mmCIF file with all atom_site columns, all heavy atoms in Angstrom:
data_model
loop_
_atom_site.group_PDB
_atom_site.id
_atom_site.type_symbol
_atom_site.label_atom_id
_atom_site.label_alt_id
_atom_site.label_comp_id
_atom_site.label_asym_id
_atom_site.label_entity_id
_atom_site.label_seq_id
_atom_site.pdbx_PDB_ins_code
_atom_site.Cartn_x
_atom_site.Cartn_y
_atom_site.Cartn_z
_atom_site.occupancy
_atom_site.B_iso_or_equiv
_atom_site.pdbx_formal_charge
_atom_site.auth_seq_id
_atom_site.auth_comp_id
_atom_site.auth_asym_id
_atom_site.auth_atom_id
_atom_site.pdbx_PDB_model_num
ATOM 1  N N   . GLY A 1 109 ? -5.404  -23.181 5.062  1.00 78.00 ? 109 GLY A N   1
ATOM 2  C CA  . GLY A 1 109 ? -6.072  -23.870 6.165  1.00 78.00 ? 109 GLY A CA  1
ATOM 3  C C   . GLY A 1 109 ? -6.216  -23.082 7.444  1.00 78.00 ? 109 GLY A C   1
ATOM 4  O O   . GLY A 1 109 ? -6.456  -23.673 8.503  1.00 78.00 ? 109 GLY A O   1
ATOM 5  N N   . GLU A 1 110 ? -6.072  -21.743 7.389  1.00 76.00 ? 110 GLU A N   1
ATOM 6  C CA  . GLU A 1 110 ? -6.290  -20.952 8.596  1.00 76.00 ? 110 GLU A CA  1
ATOM 7  C C   . GLU A 1 110 ? -7.761  -21.041 8.996  1.00 76.00 ? 110 GLU A C   1
ATOM 8  O O   . GLU A 1 110 ? -8.656  -21.016 8.153  1.00 76.00 ? 110 GLU A O   1
ATOM 9  C CB  . GLU A 1 110 ? -5.895  -19.486 8.360  1.00 76.00 ? 110 GLU A CB  1
ATOM 10 C CG  . GLU A 1 110 ? -4.395  -19.269 8.260  1.00 76.00 ? 110 GLU A CG  1
ATOM 11 C CD  . GLU A 1 110 ? -4.033  -17.790 8.282  1.00 76.00 ? 110 GLU A CD  1
ATOM 12 O OE1 . GLU A 1 110 ? -4.798  -16.999 8.872  1.00 76.00 ? 110 GLU A OE1 1
ATOM 13 O OE2 . GLU A 1 110 ? -2.992  -17.430 7.720  1.00 76.00 ? 110 GLU A OE2 1
ATOM 14 N N   . LYS A 1 111 ? -8.024  -21.127 10.281 1.00 75.00 ? 111 LYS A N   1
ATOM 15 C CA  . LYS A 1 111 ? -9.383  -21.316 10.772 1.00 75.00 ? 111 LYS A CA  1
ATOM 16 C C   . LYS A 1 111 ? -10.086 -19.974 10.984 1.00 75.00 ? 111 LYS A C   1
ATOM 17 O O   . LYS A 1 111 ? -9.500  -19.022 11.476 1.00 75.00 ? 111 LYS A O   1
ATOM 18 C CB  . LYS A 1 111 ? -9.361  -22.110 12.079 1.00 75.00 ? 111 LYS A CB  1
ATOM 19 C CG  . LYS A 1 111 ? -8.842  -23.533 11.912 1.00 75.00 ? 111 LYS A CG  1
ATOM 20 C CD  . LYS A 1 111 ? -8.866  -24.277 13.234 1.00 75.00 ? 111 LYS A CD  1
ATOM 21 C CE  . LYS A 1 111 ? -8.349  -25.709 13.055 1.00 75.00 ? 111 LYS A CE  1
ATOM 22 N NZ  . LYS A 1 111 ? -8.368  -26.455 14.353 1.00 75.00 ? 111 LYS A NZ  1
ATOM 23 N N   . PHE A 1 112 ? -11.377 -19.945 10.614 1.00 74.00 ? 112 PHE A N   1
ATOM 24 C CA  . PHE A 1 112 ? -12.196 -18.748 10.786 1.00 74.00 ? 112 PHE A CA  1
ATOM 25 C C   . PHE A 1 112 ? -13.351 -19.071 11.724 1.00 74.00 ? 112 PHE A C   1
ATOM 26 O O   . PHE A 1 112 ? -14.309 -19.738 11.341 1.00 74.00 ? 112 PHE A O   1
ATOM 27 C CB  . PHE A 1 112 ? -12.758 -18.280 9.436  1.00 74.00 ? 112 PHE A CB  1
ATOM 28 C CG  . PHE A 1 112 ? -11.722 -17.758 8.489  1.00 74.00 ? 112 PHE A CG  1
ATOM 29 C CD1 . PHE A 1 112 ? -10.959 -18.624 7.725  1.00 74.00 ? 112 PHE A CD1 1
ATOM 30 C CD2 . PHE A 1 112 ? -11.495 -16.405 8.370  1.00 74.00 ? 112 PHE A CD2 1
ATOM 31 C CE1 . PHE A 1 112 ? -10.005 -18.147 6.851  1.00 74.00 ? 112 PHE A CE1 1
ATOM 32 C CE2 . PHE A 1 112 ? -10.540 -15.915 7.502  1.00 74.00 ? 112 PHE A CE2 1
ATOM 33 C CZ  . PHE A 1 112 ? -9.788  -16.788 6.741  1.00 74.00 ? 112 PHE A CZ  1
ATOM 34 N N   . GLY A 1 113 ? -13.256 -18.613 12.967 1.00 77.00 ? 113 GLY A N   1
ATOM 35 C CA  . GLY A 1 113 ? -14.347 -18.794 13.907 1.00 77.00 ? 113 GLY A CA  1
ATOM 36 C C   . GLY A 1 113 ? -15.392 -17.718 13.713 1.00 77.00 ? 113 GLY A C   1
ATOM 37 O O   . GLY A 1 113 ? -15.192 -16.742 12.979 1.00 77.00 ? 113 GLY A O   1
ATOM 38 N N   . LEU A 1 114 ? -16.532 -17.862 14.398 1.00 79.00 ? 114 LEU A N   1
ATOM 39 C CA  . LEU A 1 114 ? -17.624 -16.901 14.276 1.00 79.00 ? 114 LEU A CA  1
ATOM 40 C C   . LEU A 1 114 ? -17.185 -15.508 14.704 1.00 79.00 ? 114 LEU A C   1
ATOM 41 O O   . LEU A 1 114 ? -17.512 -14.508 14.056 1.00 79.00 ? 114 LEU A O   1
ATOM 42 C CB  . LEU A 1 114 ? -18.812 -17.351 15.126 1.00 79.00 ? 114 LEU A CB  1
ATOM 43 C CG  . LEU A 1 114 ? -20.028 -16.419 15.119 1.00 79.00 ? 114 LEU A CG  1
ATOM 44 C CD1 . LEU A 1 114 ? -20.584 -16.274 13.715 1.00 79.00 ? 114 LEU A CD1 1
ATOM 45 C CD2 . LEU A 1 114 ? -21.091 -16.935 16.082 1.00 79.00 ? 114 LEU A CD2 1
ATOM 46 N N   . GLN A 1 115 ? -16.406 -15.417 15.793 1.00 83.00 ? 115 GLN A N   1
ATOM 47 C CA  . GLN A 1 115 ? -15.959 -14.108 16.280 1.00 83.00 ? 115 GLN A CA  1
ATOM 48 C C   . GLN A 1 115 ? -15.078 -13.412 15.258 1.00 83.00 ? 115 GLN A C   1
ATOM 49 O O   . GLN A 1 115 ? -15.198 -12.202 15.047 1.00 83.00 ? 115 GLN A O   1
ATOM 50 C CB  . GLN A 1 115 ? -15.199 -14.276 17.604 1.00 83.00 ? 115 GLN A CB  1
ATOM 51 C CG  . GLN A 1 115 ? -14.747 -12.950 18.216 1.00 83.00 ? 115 GLN A CG  1
ATOM 52 C CD  . GLN A 1 115 ? -14.079 -13.131 19.569 1.00 83.00 ? 115 GLN A CD  1
ATOM 53 O OE1 . GLN A 1 115 ? -14.334 -14.106 20.269 1.00 83.00 ? 115 GLN A OE1 1
ATOM 54 N NE2 . GLN A 1 115 ? -13.207 -12.194 19.927 1.00 83.00 ? 115 GLN A NE2 1
ATOM 55 N N   . LYS A 1 116 ? -14.200 -14.161 14.600 1.00 81.00 ? 116 LYS A N   1
ATOM 56 C CA  . LYS A 1 116 ? -13.312 -13.560 13.595 1.00 81.00 ? 116 LYS A CA  1
ATOM 57 C C   . LYS A 1 116 ? -14.114 -13.106 12.385 1.00 81.00 ? 116 LYS A C   1
ATOM 58 O O   . LYS A 1 116 ? -13.841 -12.030 11.809 1.00 81.00 ? 116 LYS A O   1
ATOM 59 C CB  . LYS A 1 116 ? -12.240 -14.575 13.183 1.00 81.00 ? 116 LYS A CB  1
ATOM 60 C CG  . LYS A 1 116 ? -11.203 -14.019 12.213 1.00 81.00 ? 116 LYS A CG  1
ATOM 61 C CD  . LYS A 1 116 ? -9.938  -14.826 12.228 1.00 81.00 ? 116 LYS A CD  1
ATOM 62 C CE  . LYS A 1 116 ? -9.176  -14.626 13.515 1.00 81.00 ? 116 LYS A CE  1
ATOM 63 N NZ  . LYS A 1 116 ? -7.852  -15.274 13.507 1.00 81.00 ? 116 LYS A NZ  1
ATOM 64 N N   . ILE A 1 117 ? -15.108 -13.879 11.986 1.00 82.00 ? 117 ILE A N   1
ATOM 65 C CA  . ILE A 1 117 ? -15.935 -13.512 10.839 1.00 82.00 ? 117 ILE A CA  1
ATOM 66 C C   . ILE A 1 117 ? -16.729 -12.243 11.143 1.00 82.00 ? 117 ILE A C   1
ATOM 67 O O   . ILE A 1 117 ? -16.783 -11.314 10.330 1.00 82.00 ? 117 ILE A O   1
ATOM 68 C CB  . ILE A 1 117 ? -16.893 -14.661 10.468 1.00 82.00 ? 117 ILE A CB  1
ATOM 69 C CG1 . ILE A 1 117 ? -16.099 -15.862 9.947  1.00 82.00 ? 117 ILE A CG1 1
ATOM 70 C CG2 . ILE A 1 117 ? -17.903 -14.205 9.414  1.00 82.00 ? 117 ILE A CG2 1
ATOM 71 C CD1 . ILE A 1 117 ? -16.930 -17.099 9.718  1.00 82.00 ? 117 ILE A CD1 1
ATOM 72 N N   . VAL A 1 118 ? -17.336 -12.194 12.335 1.00 87.00 ? 118 VAL A N   1
ATOM 73 C CA  . VAL A 1 118 ? -18.113 -11.015 12.732 1.00 87.00 ? 118 VAL A CA  1
ATOM 74 C C   . VAL A 1 118 ? -17.212 -9.780  12.821 1.00 87.00 ? 118 VAL A C   1
ATOM 75 O O   . VAL A 1 118 ? -17.573 -8.695  12.359 1.00 87.00 ? 118 VAL A O   1
ATOM 76 C CB  . VAL A 1 118 ? -18.817 -11.262 14.085 1.00 87.00 ? 118 VAL A CB  1
ATOM 77 C CG1 . VAL A 1 118 ? -19.463 -9.972  14.595 1.00 87.00 ? 118 VAL A CG1 1
ATOM 78 C CG2 . VAL A 1 118 ? -19.867 -12.352 13.948 1.00 87.00 ? 118 VAL A CG2 1
ATOM 79 N N   . GLY A 1 119 ? -16.025 -9.941  13.408 1.00 84.00 ? 119 GLY A N   1
ATOM 80 C CA  . GLY A 1 119 ? -15.082 -8.832  13.519 1.00 84.00 ? 119 GLY A CA  1
ATOM 81 C C   . GLY A 1 119 ? -14.660 -8.308  12.160 1.00 84.00 ? 119 GLY A C   1
ATOM 82 O O   . GLY A 1 119 ? -14.589 -7.084  11.939 1.00 84.00 ? 119 GLY A O   1
ATOM 83 N N   . THR A 1 120 ? -14.382 -9.214  11.234 1.00 82.00 ? 120 THR A N   1
ATOM 84 C CA  . THR A 1 120 ? -13.979 -8.827  9.876  1.00 82.00 ? 120 THR A CA  1
ATOM 85 C C   . THR A 1 120 ? -15.091 -8.049  9.187  1.00 82.00 ? 120 THR A C   1
ATOM 86 O O   . THR A 1 120 ? -14.854 -6.995  8.580  1.00 82.00 ? 120 THR A O   1
ATOM 87 C CB  . THR A 1 120 ? -13.616 -10.065 9.049  1.00 82.00 ? 120 THR A CB  1
ATOM 88 O OG1 . THR A 1 120 ? -12.558 -10.776 9.690  1.00 82.00 ? 120 THR A OG1 1
ATOM 89 C CG2 . THR A 1 120 ? -13.179 -9.665  7.640  1.00 82.00 ? 120 THR A CG2 1
#
Side-chain angles (χ1 to χ4, degrees):
E110 288 190 28
K111 295 181 180 180
F112 292 81
L114 179 61
Q115 182 176 335
K116 184 159 289 187
I117 293 173
V118 172
T120 302

